């Protein structure tokens, strides 16, 4: 027979936001290659819960034809009276558009420290919080492209290679991070990765990235992954 489970009460929220957005970037075949982008945003939420979100996202791209040096710094955080309410979805640092090598589906139980007991996994839990800060750098190389932009004139499958380094930290009001570099501390510390990726422009409709990352704060440090997303 069926079992009925109680549902939590619904929430009524009202929100408003304002942002300053700038974009003077030049997009290549798979990612921006020159110029810059930024977004500074504040969003207020009122009703059954009261909190506000802050975002700062700053990106710059420096073209030394044909290669591009790209960097990004970003903060996204939830603040205010109810910012830590358990009914709000936590933020996750390991999204592949943020810090590669820490994707949610790549963790196994063998990587989790047992010192804390219970069902917790400190190595994964430190990627979750109400506030995130991250930084990324990339060297982007247009391998296949056109005669005007690309090392090899092969425009039916534009391909960009990149060398990258990602890093970030997640925290909450109750769990402040320990800002140090360590490869074996299971605590809430920053996580870093470095590696190489290839982005492909598929028929001008879809951009796919395949990457290899060394995730420095994981026992299983060698990570392969892919995502369907243009370069940041």
């Amino acid at each position: 027979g069926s079992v009925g489970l109680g549902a939590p009460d619904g929430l009524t929220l009202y929100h408003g936001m304002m942002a300053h957005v700038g974009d003077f970037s030049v997009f290549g075949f798979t990612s921006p290659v020159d110029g810059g982008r930024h977004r500074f945003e504040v969003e207020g939420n009122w009703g059954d819960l009261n909190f506000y979100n802050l975002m700062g996202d700053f990106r710059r791209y420096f073209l030394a034809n044909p290669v591009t040096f790209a960097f990004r710094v970003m903060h996204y955080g939830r603040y205010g009276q109810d910012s830590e309410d358990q009914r709000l979805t936590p933020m996750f640092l390991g999204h592949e558009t943020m810090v590669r090598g820490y994707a949610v589906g790549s963790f196994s139980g063998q990587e989790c420290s047992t010192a804390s007991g219970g069902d917790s996994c400190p190595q994964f839990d430190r990627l979750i919080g109400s506030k995130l800060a991250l930084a990324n750098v990339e060297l982007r190389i247009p391998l296949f492209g056109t005669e005007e932009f690309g090392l090899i004139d092969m425009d039916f499958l534009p391909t960009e290679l990149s060398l990258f380094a990602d890093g970030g930290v997640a925290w909450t009001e109750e769990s402040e991070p320990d800002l140090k570099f360590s490869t074996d501390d299971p605590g809430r510390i920053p996580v870093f990765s470095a590696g190489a990726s290839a982005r492909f422009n598929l028929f001008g409709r879809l951009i796919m990235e395949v990457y290899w990352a060394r995730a420095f704060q994981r026992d299983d440090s060698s990570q392969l992954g892919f995502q369907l997303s243009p370069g940041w």
Side-chain angles (χ1 to χ4, degrees):
S2 61
V3 177
L5 298 177
D9 295 336
L11 294 174
T12 300
L13 295 175
Y14 306 90
H15 78 274
M17 61 176 290
M18 59 185 302
H20 181 271
V21 181
D23 188 346
F24 55 98
S25 62
V26 177
F27 200 86
F29 296 114
T30 65
S31 61
V33 296
D34 198 11
R37 295 173 170 177
H38 65 262
R39 184 181 186 93
F40 304 106
E41 176 183 301
V42 58
E43 178 185 6
N45 297 270
W46 308 273
D48 293 333
L49 298 177
N50 296 283
F51 61 95
Y52 59 95
N53 298 326
L54 293 179
M55 171 183 282
D57 186 343
F58 183 84
R59 313 176 187 192
R60 286 295 182 267
Y61 316 102
F62 299 97
L63 176 63
N65 199 10
V67 303
T68 290
F69 176 73
F71 79 91
R72 172 178 69 172
V73 292
M74 179 179 172
H75 169 63
Y76 185 45
R78 187 181 293 140
Y79 296 88
Q81 173 183 330
D82 298 311
S83 61
E84 304 294 339
D85 193 282
Q86 296 300 308
R87 290 170 289 180
L88 297 173
T89 302
M91 301 173 185
F92 180 59
L93 184 64
H95 289 301
E96 291 163 307
T97 55
M98 294 184 176
V99 180
R100 283 160 285 194
Y102 297 86
V104 63
S106 66
F107 281 81
S108 65
Q110 287 75 16
E111 289 190 72
C112 299
S113 168
T114 59
S116 59
D119 297 326
S120 65
C121 180
Q123 287 79 0
F124 182 81
D125 295 343
R126 65 185 170 201
L127 302 173
I128 298 172
S130 60
K131 301 164 185 64
L132 308 176
L134 60 107
N136 316 87
V137 294
E138 282 193 1
L139 178 66
R140 297 173 175 171
I141 306 165
L143 179 62
F144 299 145
T146 63
E147 185 177 348
E148 293 78 14
F149 188 69
L151 298 180
I152 301 173
D153 185 4
M154 191 181 297
D155 59 2
F156 70 88
L157 185 63
T159 300
E160 174 186 84
L161 304 181
S162 76
L163 302 175
F164 67 83
D166 299 338
V169 63
W171 71 98
T172 70
E173 294 290 343
E174 294 79 19
S175 181
E176 293 287 337
D178 186 5
L179 298 179
K180 66 178 182 181
F181 182 87
S182 173
T183 59
D184 55 8
D185 189 327
R188 187 175 285 274
I189 59 174
V191 297
F192 300 91
S193 65
S197 78
R199 295 188 180 103
F200 308 93
N201 187 317
L202 303 177
F203 315 112
R205 297 180 179 273
L206 194 66
I207 295 174
M208 180 179 71
E209 178 183 9
V210 179
Y211 68 85
W212 172 84
R214 182 183 179 191
F216 296 101
Q217 280 67 43
R218 296 186 62 174
D219 290 338
D220 188 6
S221 62
S222 181
Q223 294 290 317
L224 291 172
F226 79 96
Q227 60 175 324
L228 298 175
S229 176
W232 47 264

